[in-house]
Short mmCIF file of all heavy atoms in Angstrom, two decimals:
data_model
loop_
_atom_site.label_atom_id
_atom_site.label_comp_id
_atom_site.label_asym_id
_atom_site.label_seq_id
_atom_site.Cartn_x
_atom_site.Cartn_y
_atom_site.Cartn_z
N ARG A 240 -22.50 5.97 9.34
CA ARG A 240 -22.59 7.04 10.29
C ARG A 240 -22.23 8.42 9.78
O ARG A 240 -22.36 9.42 10.45
CB ARG A 240 -21.77 6.71 11.49
CG ARG A 240 -22.19 5.34 12.15
CD ARG A 240 -21.34 4.93 13.32
NE ARG A 240 -21.53 5.90 14.46
CZ ARG A 240 -20.91 5.76 15.58
NH1 ARG A 240 -19.97 4.74 15.75
NH2 ARG A 240 -21.07 6.58 16.66
N MET A 241 -21.68 8.45 8.51
CA MET A 241 -21.19 9.64 7.90
C MET A 241 -21.95 10.04 6.69
O MET A 241 -21.97 9.34 5.73
CB MET A 241 -19.75 9.56 7.53
CG MET A 241 -19.13 10.88 7.06
SD MET A 241 -18.96 12.07 8.39
CE MET A 241 -18.21 13.36 7.52
N ASP A 242 -22.75 11.19 6.72
CA ASP A 242 -23.43 11.62 5.61
C ASP A 242 -22.49 12.66 4.87
O ASP A 242 -22.31 13.73 5.35
CB ASP A 242 -24.73 12.41 6.04
CG ASP A 242 -25.70 11.28 6.35
OD1 ASP A 242 -25.89 10.18 5.59
OD2 ASP A 242 -26.61 11.47 7.27
N PHE A 243 -22.07 12.25 3.73
CA PHE A 243 -21.18 13.20 2.98
C PHE A 243 -22.08 14.16 2.27
O PHE A 243 -23.26 13.92 1.83
CB PHE A 243 -20.40 12.43 1.93
CG PHE A 243 -19.34 11.60 2.63
CD1 PHE A 243 -19.43 10.19 2.57
CD2 PHE A 243 -18.21 12.07 3.20
CE1 PHE A 243 -18.37 9.33 3.11
CE2 PHE A 243 -17.23 11.41 3.70
CZ PHE A 243 -17.36 10.07 3.77
N PRO A 244 -21.59 15.42 2.13
CA PRO A 244 -22.37 16.52 1.33
C PRO A 244 -22.65 15.98 0.01
O PRO A 244 -23.75 16.32 -0.56
CB PRO A 244 -21.50 17.73 1.34
CG PRO A 244 -20.51 17.45 2.58
CD PRO A 244 -20.36 16.03 2.62
N ILE A 245 -21.62 15.42 -0.78
CA ILE A 245 -21.84 14.94 -2.14
C ILE A 245 -22.18 13.37 -2.07
O ILE A 245 -21.46 12.70 -1.26
CB ILE A 245 -20.71 15.19 -2.97
CG1 ILE A 245 -20.30 16.70 -3.02
CG2 ILE A 245 -20.69 14.65 -4.28
CD1 ILE A 245 -19.02 17.05 -3.69
N PRO A 246 -23.19 12.90 -2.71
CA PRO A 246 -23.34 11.43 -2.72
C PRO A 246 -22.13 10.66 -3.03
O PRO A 246 -21.71 10.68 -4.30
CB PRO A 246 -24.44 11.23 -3.76
CG PRO A 246 -25.19 12.56 -3.80
CD PRO A 246 -24.07 13.64 -3.58
N SER A 247 -21.43 10.16 -2.17
CA SER A 247 -20.20 9.47 -2.40
C SER A 247 -19.85 8.40 -1.42
O SER A 247 -18.57 7.99 -1.27
CB SER A 247 -19.08 10.51 -2.47
OG SER A 247 -18.98 11.18 -1.22
N LYS A 248 -20.71 7.73 -0.63
CA LYS A 248 -20.39 6.75 0.37
C LYS A 248 -19.79 5.60 -0.10
O LYS A 248 -18.66 5.20 0.35
CB LYS A 248 -21.73 6.35 1.10
CG LYS A 248 -21.41 5.45 2.32
CD LYS A 248 -22.67 5.15 2.99
CE LYS A 248 -23.71 4.40 2.14
NZ LYS A 248 -24.84 3.89 3.08
N PHE A 249 -20.22 4.95 -1.27
CA PHE A 249 -19.67 3.85 -1.88
C PHE A 249 -18.34 4.15 -2.65
O PHE A 249 -17.38 3.34 -2.65
CB PHE A 249 -20.68 3.12 -2.73
CG PHE A 249 -21.77 2.46 -2.12
CD1 PHE A 249 -22.96 3.16 -1.83
CD2 PHE A 249 -21.75 1.18 -1.69
CE1 PHE A 249 -24.09 2.59 -1.17
CE2 PHE A 249 -22.70 0.54 -1.10
CZ PHE A 249 -23.85 1.19 -0.79
N ALA A 250 -18.30 5.30 -3.22
CA ALA A 250 -17.12 5.79 -3.86
C ALA A 250 -15.90 5.94 -2.87
O ALA A 250 -14.85 5.58 -3.27
CB ALA A 250 -17.26 7.09 -4.65
N VAL A 251 -16.27 6.54 -1.80
CA VAL A 251 -15.23 6.71 -0.82
C VAL A 251 -14.79 5.31 -0.12
O VAL A 251 -13.57 5.20 0.09
CB VAL A 251 -15.64 7.67 0.28
CG1 VAL A 251 -14.64 7.76 1.51
CG2 VAL A 251 -15.91 9.12 -0.17
N ALA A 252 -15.71 4.49 -0.13
CA ALA A 252 -15.48 3.21 0.45
C ALA A 252 -14.48 2.35 -0.37
O ALA A 252 -13.72 1.58 0.15
CB ALA A 252 -16.76 2.40 0.74
N THR A 253 -14.48 2.72 -1.73
CA THR A 253 -13.51 1.85 -2.65
C THR A 253 -12.08 2.36 -2.33
O THR A 253 -11.17 1.69 -2.69
CB THR A 253 -13.94 2.16 -4.05
OG1 THR A 253 -13.93 3.57 -4.32
CG2 THR A 253 -15.30 1.61 -4.32
N LEU A 254 -11.93 3.47 -1.70
CA LEU A 254 -10.59 3.94 -1.29
C LEU A 254 -10.03 3.39 -0.17
O LEU A 254 -8.84 3.56 -0.01
CB LEU A 254 -10.60 5.43 -1.29
CG LEU A 254 -11.03 6.28 -2.59
CD1 LEU A 254 -11.12 7.78 -2.17
CD2 LEU A 254 -10.29 6.01 -3.76
N HIS A 255 -10.84 2.73 0.66
CA HIS A 255 -10.40 2.12 1.96
C HIS A 255 -9.78 2.96 2.86
O HIS A 255 -8.62 2.73 3.45
CB HIS A 255 -9.60 0.86 1.60
CG HIS A 255 -10.23 -0.15 0.73
ND1 HIS A 255 -11.14 -0.97 1.19
CD2 HIS A 255 -9.96 -0.50 -0.55
CE1 HIS A 255 -11.60 -1.68 0.08
NE2 HIS A 255 -10.85 -1.47 -0.92
N MET A 256 -10.27 4.27 3.00
CA MET A 256 -9.66 5.15 3.88
C MET A 256 -10.11 5.09 5.23
O MET A 256 -11.40 4.86 5.47
CB MET A 256 -9.96 6.65 3.34
CG MET A 256 -9.43 6.90 1.90
SD MET A 256 -9.77 8.53 1.38
CE MET A 256 -8.75 9.58 2.58
N PRO A 257 -9.33 5.26 6.33
CA PRO A 257 -9.82 5.33 7.60
C PRO A 257 -10.77 6.39 7.94
O PRO A 257 -10.74 7.44 7.27
CB PRO A 257 -8.42 5.50 8.52
CG PRO A 257 -7.42 5.13 7.50
CD PRO A 257 -7.87 5.56 6.22
N HIS A 258 -11.64 6.16 8.91
CA HIS A 258 -12.65 7.07 9.11
C HIS A 258 -12.24 8.34 9.73
O HIS A 258 -12.90 9.38 9.78
CB HIS A 258 -13.81 6.49 10.06
CG HIS A 258 -13.38 6.23 11.57
ND1 HIS A 258 -12.64 5.03 11.86
CD2 HIS A 258 -13.53 6.90 12.50
CE1 HIS A 258 -12.31 5.08 13.05
NE2 HIS A 258 -12.85 6.19 13.61
N GLN A 259 -10.93 8.32 10.21
CA GLN A 259 -10.33 9.56 10.74
C GLN A 259 -10.22 10.69 9.65
O GLN A 259 -10.01 11.76 9.94
CB GLN A 259 -8.97 9.29 11.42
CG GLN A 259 -9.11 8.51 12.76
CD GLN A 259 -9.13 7.09 12.49
OE1 GLN A 259 -9.15 6.57 11.34
NE2 GLN A 259 -9.01 6.19 13.59
N PHE A 260 -10.17 10.17 8.44
CA PHE A 260 -9.93 11.13 7.33
C PHE A 260 -11.28 11.69 6.81
O PHE A 260 -11.31 12.49 5.92
CB PHE A 260 -9.17 10.42 6.15
CG PHE A 260 -7.71 10.18 6.47
CD1 PHE A 260 -7.35 8.97 6.93
CD2 PHE A 260 -6.84 11.16 6.20
CE1 PHE A 260 -5.91 8.78 7.23
CE2 PHE A 260 -5.45 10.96 6.45
CZ PHE A 260 -5.14 9.70 6.98
N TYR A 261 -12.44 11.18 7.31
CA TYR A 261 -13.64 11.67 6.73
C TYR A 261 -13.85 13.10 6.95
O TYR A 261 -14.49 13.80 6.12
CB TYR A 261 -14.74 10.83 7.47
CG TYR A 261 -14.96 9.46 6.90
CD1 TYR A 261 -14.01 8.98 6.01
CD2 TYR A 261 -16.07 8.65 7.26
CE1 TYR A 261 -14.15 7.62 5.53
CE2 TYR A 261 -16.19 7.44 6.75
CZ TYR A 261 -15.32 6.92 5.74
OH TYR A 261 -15.41 5.65 5.33
N PRO A 262 -13.49 13.77 8.06
CA PRO A 262 -13.60 15.25 8.19
C PRO A 262 -12.91 15.94 7.14
O PRO A 262 -13.32 17.01 6.52
CB PRO A 262 -13.03 15.64 9.54
CG PRO A 262 -13.31 14.34 10.30
CD PRO A 262 -13.12 13.23 9.37
N VAL A 263 -11.68 15.44 6.63
CA VAL A 263 -11.02 15.99 5.59
C VAL A 263 -11.62 15.90 4.24
O VAL A 263 -11.65 16.80 3.44
CB VAL A 263 -9.57 15.37 5.49
CG1 VAL A 263 -8.71 15.93 4.28
CG2 VAL A 263 -8.76 15.60 6.73
N ILE A 264 -12.37 14.74 4.02
CA ILE A 264 -13.14 14.39 2.83
C ILE A 264 -14.29 15.44 2.82
O ILE A 264 -14.66 16.00 1.79
CB ILE A 264 -13.56 12.98 2.81
CG1 ILE A 264 -12.33 12.10 2.60
CG2 ILE A 264 -14.49 12.84 1.54
CD1 ILE A 264 -12.75 10.63 2.66
N PHE A 265 -14.78 15.65 4.00
CA PHE A 265 -16.02 16.53 4.14
C PHE A 265 -15.61 17.98 3.76
O PHE A 265 -16.25 18.66 2.88
CB PHE A 265 -16.52 16.52 5.51
CG PHE A 265 -17.69 17.36 5.70
CD1 PHE A 265 -18.97 16.75 5.66
CD2 PHE A 265 -17.70 18.76 5.99
CE1 PHE A 265 -20.13 17.51 5.88
CE2 PHE A 265 -18.79 19.48 6.24
CZ PHE A 265 -20.06 18.83 6.21
N LEU A 266 -14.48 18.41 4.17
CA LEU A 266 -13.91 19.84 3.79
C LEU A 266 -13.57 19.85 2.29
O LEU A 266 -13.94 20.87 1.64
CB LEU A 266 -12.86 20.18 4.60
CG LEU A 266 -13.00 20.38 6.18
CD1 LEU A 266 -11.68 20.65 6.86
CD2 LEU A 266 -13.98 21.49 6.30
N ILE A 267 -13.15 18.80 1.75
CA ILE A 267 -12.77 18.78 0.32
C ILE A 267 -13.99 18.94 -0.45
O ILE A 267 -14.11 19.59 -1.56
CB ILE A 267 -11.99 17.60 -0.03
CG1 ILE A 267 -10.61 17.53 0.56
CG2 ILE A 267 -11.95 17.33 -1.55
CD1 ILE A 267 -9.82 16.27 0.34
N GLN A 268 -15.13 18.15 -0.07
CA GLN A 268 -16.43 18.21 -0.81
C GLN A 268 -17.03 19.64 -0.63
O GLN A 268 -17.66 20.03 -1.54
CB GLN A 268 -17.22 17.09 -0.39
CG GLN A 268 -16.81 15.68 -0.72
CD GLN A 268 -17.87 14.64 -0.39
OE1 GLN A 268 -18.83 14.90 0.08
NE2 GLN A 268 -17.51 13.36 -0.81
N LEU A 269 -16.81 20.18 0.59
CA LEU A 269 -17.39 21.54 0.73
C LEU A 269 -16.70 22.52 -0.30
O LEU A 269 -17.35 23.33 -0.91
CB LEU A 269 -17.14 22.05 2.13
CG LEU A 269 -17.37 23.52 2.42
CD1 LEU A 269 -18.78 23.77 2.18
CD2 LEU A 269 -16.94 23.82 3.78
N THR A 270 -15.47 22.36 -0.41
CA THR A 270 -14.69 23.26 -1.36
C THR A 270 -15.15 22.92 -2.87
O THR A 270 -15.34 23.88 -3.68
CB THR A 270 -13.15 22.88 -1.31
OG1 THR A 270 -12.67 23.07 0.00
CG2 THR A 270 -12.44 23.72 -2.32
N MET A 271 -15.43 21.76 -3.20
CA MET A 271 -15.95 21.37 -4.50
C MET A 271 -17.26 22.02 -4.75
O MET A 271 -17.47 22.61 -5.76
CB MET A 271 -16.08 19.88 -4.64
CG MET A 271 -14.78 18.94 -4.78
SD MET A 271 -15.00 17.43 -4.91
CE MET A 271 -13.43 16.72 -5.10
N MET A 272 -18.18 21.95 -3.86
CA MET A 272 -19.53 22.52 -3.93
C MET A 272 -19.45 24.10 -4.09
O MET A 272 -20.16 24.64 -4.86
CB MET A 272 -20.39 22.18 -2.83
CG MET A 272 -20.74 20.65 -2.78
SD MET A 272 -22.14 20.38 -1.56
CE MET A 272 -23.49 21.17 -2.35
N LEU A 273 -18.62 24.72 -3.27
CA LEU A 273 -18.51 26.20 -3.43
C LEU A 273 -17.95 26.56 -4.74
O LEU A 273 -18.27 27.56 -5.19
CB LEU A 273 -17.61 26.67 -2.22
CG LEU A 273 -18.32 26.48 -0.78
CD1 LEU A 273 -17.44 27.07 0.28
CD2 LEU A 273 -19.77 27.22 -0.77
N THR A 274 -16.90 25.74 -5.20
CA THR A 274 -16.35 26.05 -6.47
C THR A 274 -17.33 25.89 -7.63
O THR A 274 -17.39 26.79 -8.51
CB THR A 274 -15.19 25.18 -6.73
OG1 THR A 274 -14.28 25.28 -5.61
CG2 THR A 274 -14.47 25.42 -8.04
N ALA A 275 -18.11 24.86 -7.44
CA ALA A 275 -19.14 24.71 -8.53
C ALA A 275 -20.22 25.80 -8.48
O ALA A 275 -20.73 26.30 -9.59
CB ALA A 275 -19.96 23.30 -8.37
N SER A 276 -20.63 26.22 -7.22
CA SER A 276 -21.49 27.33 -7.08
C SER A 276 -20.88 28.59 -7.68
O SER A 276 -21.65 29.44 -8.32
CB SER A 276 -21.88 27.59 -5.66
OG SER A 276 -22.57 26.41 -5.20
N THR A 277 -19.62 28.90 -7.42
CA THR A 277 -19.01 30.10 -7.93
C THR A 277 -18.97 30.05 -9.56
O THR A 277 -19.10 31.04 -10.21
CB THR A 277 -17.61 30.16 -7.29
OG1 THR A 277 -17.64 30.33 -5.97
CG2 THR A 277 -16.91 31.44 -7.88
N GLY A 278 -18.70 28.80 -10.08
CA GLY A 278 -18.49 28.69 -11.42
C GLY A 278 -19.76 28.89 -12.13
O GLY A 278 -19.90 29.51 -13.23
#
């Protein structure tokens, strides 16, 4: 039910993180994409 900005559904699943942390992961991935764009 969660579409991550960066293809990482299975990679995140290996961490066994609760779905409550998914918004945090989303913001982290947003930061990654903006950093890559700036770079």
Side-chain angles (χ1 to χ4, degrees):
R240 302 175 68 180
M241 185 68 180
D242 280 324
F243 291 109
I245 300 173
S247 56
K248 185 174 68 173
F249 288 90
V251 172
T253 59
L254 301 177
H255 304 290
M256 298 183 65
H258 68 276
Q259 290 85 355
F260 287 95
Y261 282 9
V263 177
I264 297 176
F265 185 92
L266 292 177
I267 292 175
Q268 292 190 357
L269 171 62
T270 303
M271 289 180 178
M272 289 193 67
L273 293 180
T274 302
S276 297
T277 304

